[in-house]
Amino acid sequence: KILGSPRYSDEWLDILSKYIKPYRVEKDKNKLKIVLFLRNINYPIFWDEVVRTIKLILQFPSVYLIVKHHPRNSEAKRLTKKLIKLYPEIKKNIDVNLEFIYHAVNSDSLLKWSDVIIDVGTSVTWEPVKKGKPVLMLEYTYANHATVSYYIKSSEMKSRDDLYDTIQKFIENKNFEFYNEDERKRFVREVIDTPDKYILERYD
């Protein structure tokens, strides 16, 4: 029995990895695979800017984008309708290089599938940071400052220009050295593995 949330411990991640169902998309071949994790629609997010960001990402024909709605968001489809209403051309990209996912696929499967994760300030991104997978925080879509961005400067996207330039780098080379390892390890040490990484052993 697990109490609390030990999801970021190495031991628990090893256990979960055995049960994660792989996610497959036929249309993602030879494309940069990006997942955008959204927050609840009722959170103070600049949603119009999120829409503009999605539109920007779709300008890259070599990108396949999945937009994952927040699991505790009962009004997720209302947001999808808003996206398409604001930019009708987004609808044209569905079934080409854009996919909206609600509850059918869990976040762990999408994290494993993706090359790059984009986020608007959720804790789901801590896991890929720990594993060394690139996480881009859309700081220009909310008023606060994400913990990941505070520790890791390369993750901080201050504008759509920053995002555009970073995606272009990943298209040119998926494996380019994105993280400053000292920053990433400090984040893991001070935020996740604190006071140490033996999290499960402290559960009684």
Side-chain angles (χ1 to χ4, degrees):
K1 294 182 180 180
I2 301 298
L3 304 175
S5 180
R7 63 174 295 179
Y8 306 116
S9 74
D10 293 331
E11 184 181 352
W12 187 240
L13 290 175
D14 287 342
I15 293 171
L16 285 178
S17 66
K18 300 173 184 176
Y19 301 97
I20 295 174
K21 294 182 179 179
Y23 187 65
R24 294 185 175 88
V25 183
E26 293 181 2
K27 297 181 287 292
D28 67 6
K29 188 176 181 181
N30 299 322
K31 292 190 176 185
L32 182 69
K33 296 176 285 188
I34 297 178
V35 178
L36 168 58
F37 286 98
L38 300 181
R39 298 188 76 176
N40 190 298
I41 193 172
N42 297 314
Y43 281 32
I45 303 296
F46 305 142
W47 290 110
D48 287 5
E49 191 60 36
V50 173
V51 174
R52 296 185 191 101
T53 297
I54 293 173
K55 183 184 178 185
L56 170 70
I57 297 171
L58 295 178
Q59 304 308 306
F60 293 98
S62 54
V63 164
Y64 191 90
L65 174 65
I66 288 178
V67 178
K68 177 68 165 69
H69 288 276
H70 195 278
R72 293 190 298 275
N73 186 0
S74 61
E75 301 182 72
K77 292 191 177 181
R78 179 161 67 90
L79 176 58
T80 303
K81 290 178 181 177
K82 180 177 181 179
L83 297 176
I84 294 173
K85 184 178 180 181
L86 286 172
Y87 286 105
E89 62 266 34
I90 283 180
K91 191 172 183 180
K92 299 176 184 177
N93 292 84
I94 297 176
D95 297 328
V96 178
N97 67 337
L98 170 65
E99 184 176 353
F100 290 103
I101 289 181
Y102 303 96
H103 303 289
V105 184
N106 64 47
S107 297
D108 290 303
S109 295
L110 295 177
L111 290 174
K112 190 173 183 179
W113 169 85
S114 65
D115 297 312
V116 178
I117 293 96
I118 299 178
D119 189 65
V120 291
T122 70
S123 60
V124 72
T125 56
W126 292 12
E127 182 178 330
V129 170
K130 183 160 191 175
K131 293 179 177 178
K133 183 167 284 192
V135 171
L136 313 181
M137 305 299 299
L138 301 183
E139 292 289 300
Y140 59 91
T141 63
Y142 43 84
N144 58 341
H145 191 46
T147 306
V148 173
S149 295
Y150 174 80
Y151 279 87
I152 305 173
K153 298 309 176 187
S154 59
S155 290
E156 185 178 18
M157 301 291 108
K158 296 180 179 179
S159 66
R160 275 177 275 141
D161 286 342
D162 285 350
L163 181 66
Y164 182 94
D165 292 340
T166 305
I167 290 176
Q168 185 61 50
K169 288 180 181 178
F170 280 115
I171 290 173
E172 294 169 1
N173 178 13
K174 290 182 183 180
N175 301 311
F176 89 92
E177 194 170 337
F178 175 71
Y179 286 119
N180 175 304
E181 273 302 294
D182 289 339
E183 292 179 350
R184 190 187 71 82
K185 288 177 180 178
R186 182 187 168 215
F187 170 83
V188 173
R189 183 176 65 253
E190 296 185 7
V191 178
I192 301 177
D193 293 343
T194 181
D196 54 52
K197 64 180 180 179
Y198 303 107
I199 299 170
L200 293 189
E201 294 180 14
R202 290 198 296 275
Y203 281 81
D204 187 357

